Amino acid sequence: MSIILTDDQKDIISLAKKFAENEVAPYSQEMDEQAKFRPGLIQQMADLGFMGINVPEEYGGVGMDSVTKALVIAEIAKYDASLAEVLSVHTLSNDIILKRGNEEQKRKYLPKACTGAVGAFALTEPNAGSDAASAKTKAIADGDDYVINGTKCFISNMGPDEGDYVILIALTEPEKKTKGMSAIIVDRGTPGFTIGKTENKMGLRAAPVSELIFDDCRVPKTQRLGDEGRGFMIAMAGLDGGRIGMGAQAVGLAQAAIKASVEYTTQRVQFGKPINANQGIQWYIADMATTTEAALQLVVNAARLYDMPGCRVSKEAAEAKYFASENAVKVCNKALQLHGGYGYMKDYPIERMYRDARIIPLYEGTSEIQKIVISRSVLSEFK
């Protein structure tokens, strides 16, 4: 890895590698086929400190920086991108509570997050995907409570058995549109909050993605994060961290596809020699390695900036997510081509990697949305 790391960073990344090799990789194909994780796997991540990797020690976490968090996500993604997604979304919810929560909220949720409770983030709605400002879910004040009504869709970390709480973005003052949105933590099991359809996905099949339904769901106002009307800003700032995590997931997938390609093309002999003795194959691998290294550097740069006080990293996070996600799709596509017909078969992990990679340019903001964010930032620099 072409990044200078501290001994502590090296140790936890090594721990992630050992965990993923021994406890995740042997079951990845089975989890993909069954569309669920092996029982106890998320708790194992908590016991090793990964679920609280970005939580300060005073709240029970490991207290590592965003670079380390990103590299751990990438390491796990090499072996199972579904599990990496769960960790990325969960640590995104950790970040939001850390940055926007009051002390009581931090004490209530962060220790649980470190010990195995799974957090989620809910912004997308059936008619409000890229256009998040069109969200319709309402949380109307009634005394000391909010009464929530509406539906969210494609919400990661929420399934029939998974997900303990969700950071919900809802309209507390609908007439103000985005300036009337607030962020509210809703616990699983709250009356009026139910899990709807759990999606049957092309890739990342073990990671749950579901519809959330709120029907006169009553939540105390003490569950609101930050000031009323600041929810859209909280969501957009939170997505910066989320996009870095998804970029890291994409980097890990691409690195795994390169490794699988090198191994296969070394073993595959045609016309009397390994196929990677051919210059054409070598050029494929050179392209894959170079663009993946560039993706890694973009992710690490955005992660470093994310931890700097007062530094807004929307452009850098968008660049990392856009480039890394598109690269993962291209690299997995080339890797499948290098595997030939065998790559299309479920006997080889590249088939799963190819399916897993395809979602990354779509969630946490499509590649087109990332380009809008990037271009607006660049254009503003020259005004």
CSV table of all heavy atoms in Angstrom, one decimal, residues 338-378:
chain,number,residue,atom,x,y,z
A,338,LEU,N,-10.8,-10.8,-18.4
A,338,LEU,CA,-9.6,-11.6,-18.3
A,338,LEU,C,-9.8,-13.1,-17.8
A,338,LEU,O,-9.1,-14.0,-18.2
A,338,LEU,CB,-8.6,-11.0,-17.3
A,338,LEU,CG,-8.0,-9.6,-17.7
A,338,LEU,CD1,-7.2,-9.0,-16.6
A,338,LEU,CD2,-7.1,-9.9,-18.9
A,339,HIS,N,-10.9,-13.3,-17.1
A,339,HIS,CA,-11.3,-14.6,-16.7
A,339,HIS,C,-12.0,-15.4,-17.8
A,339,HIS,O,-12.2,-16.6,-17.7
A,339,HIS,CB,-12.2,-14.6,-15.5
A,339,HIS,CG,-11.5,-14.3,-14.2
A,339,HIS,ND1,-10.9,-13.2,-13.8
A,339,HIS,CD2,-11.3,-15.2,-13.1
A,339,HIS,CE1,-10.4,-13.3,-12.6
A,339,HIS,NE2,-10.6,-14.5,-12.1
A,340,GLY,N,-12.4,-14.7,-18.8
A,340,GLY,CA,-13.1,-15.3,-19.9
A,340,GLY,C,-14.4,-15.9,-19.4
A,340,GLY,O,-15.1,-15.4,-18.5
A,341,GLY,N,-14.8,-17.0,-20.0
A,341,GLY,CA,-16.1,-17.6,-19.7
A,341,GLY,C,-16.2,-18.0,-18.2
A,341,GLY,O,-17.3,-18.0,-17.6
A,342,TYR,N,-15.0,-18.4,-17.6
A,342,TYR,CA,-15.0,-18.8,-16.2
A,342,TYR,C,-15.5,-17.6,-15.3
A,342,TYR,O,-16.1,-17.8,-14.3
A,342,TYR,CB,-13.7,-19.3,-15.8
A,342,TYR,CG,-13.3,-20.6,-16.4
A,342,TYR,CD1,-12.4,-20.7,-17.5
A,342,TYR,CD2,-13.9,-21.8,-16.0
A,342,TYR,CE1,-12.0,-21.9,-18.0
A,342,TYR,CE2,-13.5,-23.0,-16.5
A,342,TYR,CZ,-12.6,-23.0,-17.6
A,342,TYR,OH,-12.3,-24.2,-18.2
A,343,GLY,N,-15.1,-16.4,-15.7
A,343,GLY,CA,-15.5,-15.3,-14.9
A,343,GLY,C,-17.0,-15.0,-14.7
A,343,GLY,O,-17.5,-14.4,-13.8
A,344,TYR,N,-17.7,-15.6,-15.7
A,344,TYR,CA,-19.2,-15.5,-15.7
A,344,TYR,C,-19.9,-16.5,-14.8
A,344,TYR,O,-21.1,-16.4,-14.6
A,344,TYR,CB,-19.7,-15.6,-17.2
A,344,TYR,CG,-21.1,-15.1,-17.4
A,344,TYR,CD1,-21.3,-13.7,-17.4
A,344,TYR,CD2,-22.1,-15.9,-17.8
A,344,TYR,CE1,-22.6,-13.2,-17.7
A,344,TYR,CE2,-23.4,-15.5,-18.0
A,344,TYR,CZ,-23.6,-14.1,-18.0
A,344,TYR,OH,-24.9,-13.6,-18.3
A,345,MET,N,-19.1,-17.4,-14.3
A,345,MET,CA,-19.6,-18.5,-13.5
A,345,MET,C,-19.5,-18.2,-12.0
A,345,MET,O,-18.5,-17.6,-11.6
A,345,MET,CB,-18.9,-19.8,-13.8
A,345,MET,CG,-18.9,-20.2,-15.3
A,345,MET,SD,-20.6,-20.2,-16.0
A,345,MET,CE,-20.2,-20.2,-17.8
A,346,LYS,N,-20.5,-18.7,-11.3
A,346,LYS,CA,-20.5,-18.4,-9.8
A,346,LYS,C,-19.4,-19.1,-9.1
A,346,LYS,O,-19.1,-18.9,-7.9
A,346,LYS,CB,-21.8,-18.7,-9.2
A,346,LYS,CG,-22.9,-17.7,-9.6
A,346,LYS,CD,-24.2,-18.0,-8.9
A,346,LYS,CE,-25.3,-17.0,-9.4
A,346,LYS,NZ,-25.0,-15.6,-8.9
A,347,ASP,N,-18.7,-20.0,-9.8
A,347,ASP,CA,-17.5,-20.7,-9.1
A,347,ASP,C,-16.4,-19.8,-8.9
A,347,ASP,O,-15.5,-20.1,-8.0
A,347,ASP,CB,-17.0,-21.8,-10.1
A,347,ASP,CG,-18.0,-22.9,-10.2
A,347,ASP,OD1,-18.9,-23.1,-9.3
A,347,ASP,OD2,-18.0,-23.6,-11.3
A,348,TYR,N,-16.4,-18.6,-9.5
A,348,TYR,CA,-15.3,-17.6,-9.4
A,348,TYR,C,-15.8,-16.4,-8.7
A,348,TYR,O,-16.9,-15.9,-9.1
A,348,TYR,CB,-14.6,-17.3,-10.7
A,348,TYR,CG,-13.7,-18.4,-11.2
A,348,TYR,CD1,-14.3,-19.6,-11.8
A,348,TYR,CD2,-12.4,-18.3,-11.1
A,348,TYR,CE1,-13.5,-20.6,-12.3
A,348,TYR,CE2,-11.5,-19.3,-11.6
A,348,TYR,CZ,-12.1,-20.5,-12.2
A,348,TYR,OH,-11.3,-21.5,-12.6
A,349,PRO,N,-15.1,-15.8,-7.7
A,349,PRO,CA,-15.6,-14.7,-7.0
A,349,PRO,C,-15.8,-13.4,-7.9
A,349,PRO,O,-16.5,-12.5,-7.5
A,349,PRO,CB,-14.6,-14.4,-5.9
A,349,PRO,CG,-13.4,-15.1,-6.3
A,349,PRO,CD,-13.8,-16.3,-7.2
A,350,ILE,N,-15.1,-13.3,-9.0
A,350,ILE,CA,-15.2,-12.1,-9.9
A,350,ILE,C,-16.7,-11.9,-10.3
A,350,ILE,O,-17.1,-10.8,-10.5
A,350,ILE,CB,-14.3,-12.2,-11.1
A,350,ILE,CG1,-14.1,-10.8,-11.7
A,350,ILE,CG2,-14.7,-13.3,-12.0
A,350,ILE,CD1,-13.6,-9.8,-10.8
A,351,GLU,N,-17.4,-13.0,-10.4
A,351,GLU,CA,-18.9,-12.8,-10.8
A,351,GLU,C,-19.6,-12.0,-9.8
A,351,GLU,O,-20.4,-11.1,-10.1
A,351,GLU,CB,-19.5,-14.2,-11.0
A,351,GLU,CG,-20.9,-14.2,-11.4
A,351,GLU,CD,-21.9,-14.2,-10.3
A,351,GLU,OE1,-21.5,-14.5,-9.1
A,351,GLU,OE2,-23.1,-13.8,-10.5
A,352,ARG,N,-19.3,-12.3,-8.5
A,352,ARG,CA,-20.0,-11.6,-7.4
A,352,ARG,C,-19.5,-10.1,-7.4
A,352,ARG,O,-20.2,-9.2,-7.2
A,352,ARG,CB,-19.8,-12.3,-6.1
A,352,ARG,CG,-20.5,-11.6,-4.9
A,352,ARG,CD,-20.3,-12.3,-3.6
A,352,ARG,NE,-18.9,-12.0,-3.1
A,352,ARG,CZ,-17.9,-12.9,-3.0
A,352,ARG,NH1,-18.1,-14.1,-3.4
A,352,ARG,NH2,-16.8,-12.5,-2.5
A,353,MET,N,-18.1,-10.0,-7.5
A,353,MET,CA,-17.5,-8.6,-7.5
A,353,MET,C,-18.2,-7.7,-8.6
A,353,MET,O,-18.4,-6.6,-8.3
A,353,MET,CB,-16.0,-8.7,-7.7
A,353,MET,CG,-15.3,-9.4,-6.6
A,353,MET,SD,-13.5,-9.5,-7.0
A,353,MET,CE,-12.9,-10.8,-6.0
A,354,TYR,N,-18.3,-8.3,-9.8
A,354,TYR,CA,-18.9,-7.6,-10.9
A,354,TYR,C,-20.3,-7.0,-10.5
A,354,TYR,O,-20.6,-5.9,-10.8
A,354,TYR,CB,-19.0,-8.5,-12.1
A,354,TYR,CG,-19.4,-7.8,-13.4
A,354,TYR,CD1,-18.5,-7.1,-14.2
A,354,TYR,CD2,-20.7,-7.9,-13.8
A,354,TYR,CE1,-19.0,-6.5,-15.4
A,354,TYR,CE2,-21.2,-7.3,-15.0
A,354,TYR,CZ,-20.3,-6.6,-15.7
A,354,TYR,OH,-20.7,-6.0,-16.9
A,355,ARG,N,-21.1,-7.9,-9.9
A,355,ARG,CA,-22.5,-7.5,-9.5
A,355,ARG,C,-22.4,-6.5,-8.4
A,355,ARG,O,-23.2,-5.5,-8.4
A,355,ARG,CB,-23.3,-8.7,-9.1
A,355,ARG,CG,-23.7,-9.6,-10.3
A,355,ARG,CD,-24.6,-10.7,-9.8
A,355,ARG,NE,-24.0,-11.7,-9.1
A,355,ARG,CZ,-24.1,-11.9,-7.7
A,355,ARG,NH1,-24.8,-11.1,-7.0
A,355,ARG,NH2,-23.4,-12.9,-7.2
A,356,ASP,N,-21.5,-6.7,-7.4
A,356,ASP,CA,-21.4,-5.8,-6.3
A,356,ASP,C,-21.0,-4.4,-6.7
A,356,ASP,O,-21.5,-3.4,-6.2
A,356,ASP,CB,-20.4,-6.4,-5.3
A,356,ASP,CG,-21.0,-7.6,-4.5
A,356,ASP,OD1,-22.2,-7.8,-4.6
A,356,ASP,OD2,-20.2,-8.2,-3.8
A,357,ALA,N,-20.1,-4.3,-7.6
A,357,ALA,CA,-19.5,-3.0,-8.0
A,357,ALA,C,-20.6,-2.1,-8.7
A,357,ALA,O,-20.5,-0.9,-8.5
A,357,ALA,CB,-18.3,-3.2,-9.0
A,358,ARG,N,-21.5,-2.7,-9.4
A,358,ARG,CA,-22.4,-1.9,-10.2
A,358,ARG,C,-23.3,-0.9,-9.4
A,358,ARG,O,-23.7,0.1,-10.0
A,358,ARG,CB,-23.3,-2.9,-11.1
A,358,ARG,CG,-24.1,-2.1,-12.1
A,358,ARG,CD,-23.2,-1.3,-13.1
A,358,ARG,NE,-23.9,-0.4,-14.0
A,358,ARG,CZ,-24.2,0.8,-13.7
A,358,ARG,NH1,-24.0,1.3,-12.5
A,358,ARG,NH2,-24.8,1.6,-14.6
A,359,ILE,N,-23.5,-1.2,-8.2
A,359,ILE,CA,-24.4,-0.3,-7.4
A,359,ILE,C,-23.7,1.0,-7.0
A,359,ILE,O,-24.3,2.0,-6.7
A,359,ILE,CB,-25.0,-1.0,-6.2
A,359,ILE,CG1,-26.0,-0.2,-5.4
A,359,ILE,CG2,-23.9,-1.5,-5.2
A,359,ILE,CD1,-27.2,0.3,-6.2
A,360,ILE,N,-22.3,0.9,-6.8
A,360,ILE,CA,-21.6,2.0,-6.2
A,360,ILE,C,-21.7,3.3,-6.9
A,360,ILE,O,-21.8,4.4,-6.3
A,360,ILE,CB,-20.2,1.6,-5.9
A,360,ILE,CG1,-20.1,0.2,-5.2
A,360,ILE,CG2,-19.5,2.7,-5.0
A,360,ILE,CD1,-18.7,-0.2,-4.9
A,361,PRO,N,-21.8,3.3,-8.3
A,361,PRO,CA,-22.0,4.6,-8.9
A,361,PRO,C,-23.5,5.1,-8.8
A,361,PRO,O,-23.8,6.2,-9.3
A,361,PRO,CB,-21.7,4.3,-10.4
A,361,PRO,CG,-20.9,3.1,-10.4
A,361,PRO,CD,-21.4,2.3,-9.2
A,362,LEU,N,-24.3,4.4,-8.1
A,362,LEU,CA,-25.7,4.8,-8.0
A,362,LEU,C,-26.1,5.3,-6.6
A,362,LEU,O,-26.8,6.3,-6.5
A,362,LEU,CB,-26.6,3.6,-8.3
A,362,LEU,CG,-26.5,3.0,-9.7
A,362,LEU,CD1,-27.4,1.8,-9.8
A,362,LEU,CD2,-26.9,4.1,-10.7
A,363,TYR,N,-25.6,4.7,-5.5
A,363,TYR,CA,-26.0,5.1,-4.2
A,363,TYR,C,-25.1,6.1,-3.6
A,363,TYR,O,-24.0,6.4,-4.0
A,363,TYR,CB,-26.3,3.9,-3.3
A,363,TYR,CG,-25.2,3.0,-2.9
A,363,TYR,CD1,-23.8,3.3,-3.2
A,363,TYR,CD2,-25.5,1.8,-2.2
A,363,TYR,CE1,-22.8,2.4,-2.8
A,363,TYR,CE2,-24.5,1.0,-1.8
A,363,TYR,CZ,-23.2,1.2,-2.1
A,363,TYR,OH,-22.2,0.4,-1.7
A,364,GLU,N,-25.6,6.8,-2.5
A,364,GLU,CA,-24.9,7.9,-1.9
A,364,GLU,C,-24.7,9.0,-2.9
A,364,GLU,O,-23.7,9.8,-2.9
A,364,GLU,CB,-23.6,7.5,-1.2
A,364,GLU,CG,-23.7,6.5,-0.1
A,364,GLU,CD,-24.3,7.1,1.2
A,364,GLU,OE1,-24.6,8.3,1.2
A,364,GLU,OE2,-24.4,6.4,2.2
A,365,GLY,N,-25.6,9.1,-3.8
A,365,GLY,CA,-25.5,10.1,-4.9
A,365,GLY,C,-24.9,9.5,-6.2
A,365,GLY,O,-23.9,8.9,-6.1
A,366,THR,N,-25.7,9.5,-7.3
A,366,THR,CA,-25.2,8.9,-8.5
A,366,THR,C,-24.0,9.6,-9.0
A,366,THR,O,-23.6,10.7,-8.6
A,366,THR,CB,-26.3,9.0,-9.6
A,366,THR,OG1,-26.5,10.4,-9.9
A,366,THR,CG2,-27.6,8.4,-9.2
A,367,SER,N,-23.3,9.0,-10.0
A,367,SER,CA,-22.1,9.6,-10.5
A,367,SER,C,-22.5,11.0,-11.2
A,367,SER,O,-21.7,11.9,-11.1
A,367,SER,CB,-21.5,8.7,-11.6
A,367,SER,OG,-20.8,7.6,-11.0
A,368,GLU,N,-23.7,11.1,-11.7
A,368,GLU,CA,-24.1,12.4,-12.3
A,368,GLU,C,-24.2,13.4,-11.2
A,368,GLU,O,-23.9,14.6,-11.5
A,368,GLU,CB,-25.4,12.2,-13.0
A,368,GLU,CG,-25.3,11.3,-14.3
A,368,GLU,CD,-25.0,9.8,-14.1
A,368,GLU,OE1,-25.4,9.3,-13.0
A,368,GLU,OE2,-24.4,9.2,-15.0
A,369,ILE,N,-24.8,13.1,-10.1
A,369,ILE,CA,-24.9,14.0,-9.0
A,369,ILE,C,-23.5,14.4,-8.5
A,369,ILE,O,-23.2,15.6,-8.2
A,369,ILE,CB,-25.7,13.4,-7.8
A,369,ILE,CG1,-27.1,13.3,-8.2
A,369,ILE,CG2,-25.5,14.3,-6.5
A,369,ILE,CD1,-27.8,14.7,-8.4
A,370,GLN,N,-22.5,13.5,-8.4
A,370,GLN,CA,-21.2,13.8,-8.0
A,370,GLN,C,-20.6,14.8,-9.0
A,370,GLN,O,-19.9,15.8,-8.6
A,370,GLN,CB,-20.3,12.6,-8.0
A,370,GLN,CG,-20.8,11.4,-7.2
A,370,GLN,CD,-21.2,11.8,-5.8
A,370,GLN,OE1,-20.6,12.6,-5.1
A,370,GLN,NE2,-22.4,11.2,-5.3
A,371,LYS,N,-20.8,14.7,-10.3
A,371,LYS,CA,-20.3,15.6,-11.3
A,371,LYS,C,-20.9,17.0,-11.1
A,371,LYS,O,-20.2,18.0,-11.3
A,371,LYS,CB,-20.5,15.1,-12.7
A,371,LYS,CG,-19.6,13.9,-13.0
A,371,LYS,CD,-19.5,13.5,-14.5
A,371,LYS,CE,-20.7,12.6,-14.8
A,371,LYS,NZ,-20.5,12.1,-16.2
A,372,ILE,N,-22.2,17.0,-10.7
A,372,ILE,CA,-22.8,18.3,-10.5
A,372,ILE,C,-22.1,19.0,-9.3
A,372,ILE,O,-21.7,20.2,-9.3
A,372,ILE,CB,-24.3,18.2,-10.2
A,372,ILE,CG1,-25.0,17.8,-11.5
A,372,ILE,CG2,-24.9,19.5,-9.6
A,372,ILE,CD1,-26.5,17.4,-11.3
A,373,VAL,N,-21.9,18.3,-8.2
A,373,VAL,CA,-21.2,18.8,-7.0
A,373,VAL,C,-19.8,19.3,-7.4
A,373,VAL,O,-19.4,20.4,-7.0
A,373,VAL,CB,-21.1,17.8,-5.9
A,373,VAL,CG1,-20.2,18.3,-4.7
A,373,VAL,CG2,-22.5,17.4,-5.4
A,374,ILE,N,-19.1,18.5,-8.1
A,374,ILE,CA,-17.7,18.9,-8.5
A,374,ILE,C,-17.7,20.1,-9.4
A,374,ILE,O,-16.9,21.0,-9.2
A,374,ILE,CB,-17.0,17.7,-9.2
A,374,ILE,CG1,-16.8,16.5,-8.3
A,374,ILE,CG2,-15.6,18.1,-9.8
A,374,ILE,CD1,-16.6,15.2,-9.0
A,375,SER,N,-18.5,20.1,-10.4
A,375,SER,CA,-18.5,21.2,-11.4
A,375,SER,C,-18.9,22.5,-10.7
A,375,SER,O,-18.3,23.6,-11.0
A,375,SER,CB,-19.4,20.9,-12.6
A,375,SER,OG,-20.7,20.8,-12.2
A,376,ARG,N,-19.9,22.5,-9.8
A,376,ARG,CA,-20.3,23.7,-9.1
A,376,ARG,C,-19.1,24.3,-8.3
A,376,ARG,O,-18.9,25.5,-8.3
A,376,ARG,CB,-21.5,23.4,-8.2
A,376,ARG,CG,-22.8,23.3,-9.0
A,376,ARG,CD,-24.0,23.0,-8.1
A,376,ARG,NE,-25.2,22.9,-8.8
A,376,ARG,CZ,-26.4,22.4,-8.2
A,376,ARG,NH1,-26.4,22.0,-7.0
A,376,ARG,NH2,-27.5,22.4,-8.9
A,377,SER,N,-18.4,23.4,-7.7
A,377,SER,CA,-17.3,23.8,-6.9
A,377,SER,C,-16.2,24.5,-7.7
A,377,SER,O,-15.6,25.5,-7.4
A,377,SER,CB,-16.7,22.7,-6.0
A,377,SER,OG,-15.6,23.1,-5.3
A,378,VAL,N,-15.9,23.8,-8.8
A,378,VAL,CA,-14.8,24.3,-9.7
A,378,VAL,C,-15.3,25.6,-10.4
A,378,VAL,O,-14.5,26.6,-10.4
A,378,VAL,CB,-14.5,23.2,-10.8
A,378,VAL,CG1,-13.6,23.8,-11.9
A,378,VAL,CG2,-13.9,22.0,-10.2
